[in-house]
Amino acid sequence: MFRSPPSFFSNSQIQSSRSGYSSNSSMAYAFPEEVLEHVFSFLNCDKDRNAVSLVCKSWYEIERWCRRRVFIGNCYAASPEILIRRFPEVRALEMKGKPHFADFNLVPEGWGAYVYPWIVAMSASYPLLEEIKLKRMVVSDESLDLISKSFKNFRVMVLTSCEGFTADGLASIAANCRNLRELNLKESDVDDISGHWLSHFPDCSTSLVSLNISCLLSEVIFSALERLVARSPNLKILRLNRSVPLEKLPNLLRRAPQLVELGVGSYTHELRNDTFTSLASAFSGCKQIRDLSGFWDVAPAYLPAMYPLCSRIISLNLSYGTIESPELLKIVSQCSSLQRLWVLDHIEDSGLEAVAMSCKDLQELRVFPSEPYRVEPNVTLTEKGLVSVSHGCIKLKSVLYFCRRMSNAALVSIARNSPNMTRFRLCILEPRVPDYLTHQPLDAGFGAIVEICKDLQRLSLSGLLTDQCFKYIGTHAKKLEMLSIAFAGDSDSGLHYVLSGCHSLRKLEIRDSPFGDKALLANAAKLETMRSLWMSNCPVSFGACKLLGRKMPRLHVEVIDEGGSPESRPDECPVEKLYIYRAVAGRRDDFPGFVWTVNSNSPERFS
Amino acid sequence: MMNDYATVMSSEDSSSYPDEEDEFGLELGLGLSIGGSGNDRSRIFSVRDFTPSSSSSSTSSSSSSFSGTKRRAEHELDPEHYSPPRRYAVRQVIGWPPVRTHRINSYLKQEGAEETAIDVKVPKYCKKSFFVKVNMDGIPIGRKVDLNAHSCYETLSLTLDQMFRVASGAGSTRINVDGEVVMAGPCFSLTYEDKEGDWMLVGDVPWEVFLKSVKRLRIRRATKANCQNY
């Protein structure tokens, strides 16, 4: 998101040539443009570059011509035209589309976030573009094809949680991007048509450094994959999909002993000694592996084959397949260098105690539920496991923990053990569950988290919570940037505490909580300092949405309602879903029938 | 103004259950329990549900008989009618708990991974795929199935059963509710949306005709009244 909207400067100044910047500034004489540009080239962080561009008009001009990497947190906050007009020489674009709750099916299909218009505009203006990284966007085969044909130096394609493309689009990228270094389809939803797309990498292509196809559902042509790996001496990251069978893995690994990050496919096979020894020796040959993932469908007998890797591993993701507690315990006990662990709740409290004892460098822990829709526990994973880890792993900073019970006492312990926590996401599977020991709300526990963990940037709440919890958050969570709320709070006061107190807040997402018009309208100005606000199934009326849209010109207010036009109901009726975001671009023109946008340009609604 | 989530039970309200020793399985369709060993013999719908009829006559109003005309599937959604045992409350709340779709998919058995009794004639990778979405009542996360991997209704039925089978953990048995054995199988029907936007019951038309007109699938829970008709 650009800190200074282009309207800050007149058009003529923006379009002036590089040498034609204003000579009013004495800085122009003190430091030649080339020197400043050289200095700016050391600035990689967006915040720094944005700050520099606000110093004076000449710095703004110099900086915009030499900015090579652009990050757009919300594709609808800007537009391709605004991007290209301000930054003419971009080499790398990173962009996000749908709001986070789209991950959980809360955003209806067809909502938007299409990348194609951006690709069209950039194909004309950024011939030297090298990198595109997208998250939660709709990427069509046409987009991929256009990318592959428009940018001769294209190197890096990362599609995280994207959808809309098929293997045909991938084939275009493979065939036409001669210098491709990275192709990463992290968790994207790909409609496979065939596995043949891998064969489209020409025989002369040897530049691949990173290939992540773990999300693909259908089989890939293994021989094509093998040949590709064999001719890619720089390949450091290889994440296979589930369809790659275990018995094929050793051959692949032998061709890529330089791998640093490996995602295996299915980890199961009928028990055979030769398969085991072949696998074990192949793993031993990969001395550089520091990151392991994959492991769908695990046959426990084959797990010992990866033991030799454990002591060097810094990141381990075992969250896709079922591995029972004893096996998990054996693995983590050997991972003395582990910094990041993603695992299913099969690890249980006992396994987490082993983690606490063995993984002293652990910084990030994620424990996912193996049976999320089941009320009765299927495993013994409770608050105790997390307390153990926070106690034993003093570097712990990032937590995502799904469990079935929690207590205020445990949360206070965790806060005290991990005062440096920066990301804390707790999901108690059942909504509105109180402290299981005292039957009190979990206000005090989360209050301790925000009070003690002063650097907390991200927080997700669950369990029974009253407005008091939000009072704590508003009072203490001064560095909080992203907050997720579900089934919590009593009244508008809760929302008011957050909006008025959390000075660093950028993203707020709320579902099924009793927050409504009063808090929203009272804090309207705050919304312009944030990237976005999502509220679904909350008592926010259509009237309030219209008012907000009319009063706040730089906010786009989108009402998502699949129940028909909100205009056909009284203004007091609550809307289904509400998505508010700040923007320098005008209202988008690609919204579907179930989205109503309200802004100051139009007193009536547009459907 | 807040919607009342009647189906989201608090864990304090667990009803008393007859026997701690009995191992209780999850009712079919009442919750998607993922990751269990899944040797549950109960099926969502049985193969005999699909009796392709030779004549596909014009649409008629729905009848309870099996054979003959193309049937319009009624919207028999009635979640409140069937009150599930509270220990295994189904999560009818969309998007909760917040587990991403791709992660849910990775827990479920891989489509086609198990041997089926019926021989699938054409290997999957030789044909173009034809993925359609499949949703099941009560389960917020949908899946996709490749219809071109099947040549008949039987294998499709088996595959969907595996995909949506409720694994209740090793060694579990079916629940007895008030002394009555709950037959979950016949209480589900497989429906599809055709190109005209109508919802039809699967199995009435020849397979090839079905392939040409299907857009997506839905496994619907039938009301008790209709269960008797099966």
Side-chain angles (χ1 to χ4, degrees), chain A residues 103-104 109 161 187 191 219 242 296 319-320 344 369-371 373 375-376 429-430 511-512 537 539, chain B residues 1 3 5 9 32-34 87 91 93-96 98 100 102-103 106-108 125 129 133 144:
Chain A
D103 285 354
F104 316 122
E109 217 171 291
S161 308
E187 299 164 8
D191 280 327
E219 291 172 25
R242 194 174 185 174
W296 287 274
S319 64
Y320 294 122
L344 283 176
S370 51
E371 298 194 26
Y373 302 114
V375 177
E376 281 291 303
L429 292 177
E430 187 80 48
R511 61 167 295 175
D512 298 276
N537 214 15
Chain B
M1 270 192 180
N3 287 347
Y5 290 98
M9 319 290 181
L32 188 62
S33 172
I34 299 150
R87 194 177 288 191
R91 309 221 169 274
V93 182
I94 292 192
W96 191 268
R100 302 198 38 231
H102 93 280
R103 184 166 290 284
S106 73
Y107 298 167
L108 299 173
Y125 55 78
S129 310
K133 288 197 172 154
K144 284 186 179 168

Side-chain angles (χ1 to χ4, degrees), chain A residues 349-366:
Chain A
D349 291 338
S350 52
L352 290 176
E353 273 169 38
V355 169
M357 287 198 300
S358 315
C359 310
K360 291 303 187 188
D361 286 340
L362 194 73
Q363 295 177 27
E364 178 179 329
L365 174 69
R366 295 196 191 190

Side-chain angles (χ1 to χ4, degrees), chain B residues 15-33:
Chain B
S15 51
S16 56
Y17 253 89
D19 255 301
E20 280 302 329
E21 292 140 58
D22 285 4
E23 290 168 88
F24 296 103
L26 277 161
E27 297 244 12
L28 259 181
L30 295 186
L32 188 62
S33 172

Side-chain angles (χ1 to χ4, degrees), chain A residues 141-207:
Chain A
D141 284 343
E142 287 74 27
S143 303
L144 292 176
D145 194 56
L146 190 55
I147 290 171
S148 75
K149 294 183 172 138
S150 307
F151 310 116
K152 298 284 167 277
N153 283 352
F154 195 70
R155 293 196 190 157
V156 172
M157 175 107 257
V158 179
L159 301 175
T160 306
S161 308
C162 293
E163 52 163 352
F165 59 101
T166 71
D168 284 351
L170 296 177
S172 298
I173 297 282
N176 301 323
C177 300
R178 292 300 155 109
N179 295 313
L180 194 67
R181 300 237 176 105
E182 179 172 350
L183 178 59
N184 187 342
L185 308 175
K186 272 171 83 165
E187 299 164 8
S188 286
D189 186 8
V190 188
D191 280 327
D192 293 349
I193 282 181
S194 75
H196 289 279
W197 67 274
L198 267 177
S199 323
H200 287 254
F201 279 104
D203 289 339
C204 58
S205 103
T206 58
S207 52

Side-chain angles (χ1 to χ4, degrees), chain A residues 231-290:
Chain A
R231 65 174 185 273
S232 303
N234 300 316
L235 193 67
K236 296 278 191 295
I237 300 172
L238 178 64
R239 301 213 194 265
L240 307 168
N241 72 341
R242 194 174 185 174
S243 76
V244 177
L246 187 59
E247 69 267 20
K248 298 246 162 86
L249 190 57
N251 276 345
L252 214 49
L253 292 181
R254 273 187 258 280
R255 301 202 198 302
Q258 75 284 0
L259 280 178
V260 175
E261 297 183 17
L262 171 66
V264 305
S266 270
Y267 203 74
T268 188
H269 194 252
E270 59 175 17
L271 286 180
R272 291 176 51 155
N273 270 333
D274 51 354
T275 314
F276 184 92
T277 46
S278 175
L279 185 63
S281 95
F283 274 138
S284 301
C286 294
K287 304 228 184 292
Q288 314 291 331
I289 289 183
R290 298 286 174 270

Side-chain angles (χ1 to χ4, degrees), chain A residues 1 59 137 148 170 378 416 427 429 449 456 487 491 554 557 561 583 593:
Chain A
M1 183 63 204
W59 280 38
M137 294 200 70
S148 75
L170 296 177
N378 56 321
R416 289 194 181 137
C427 180
L429 292 177
I449 294 275
L456 197 68
F487 307 102
S491 74
R554 291 201 207 169
V557 177
D561 206 316

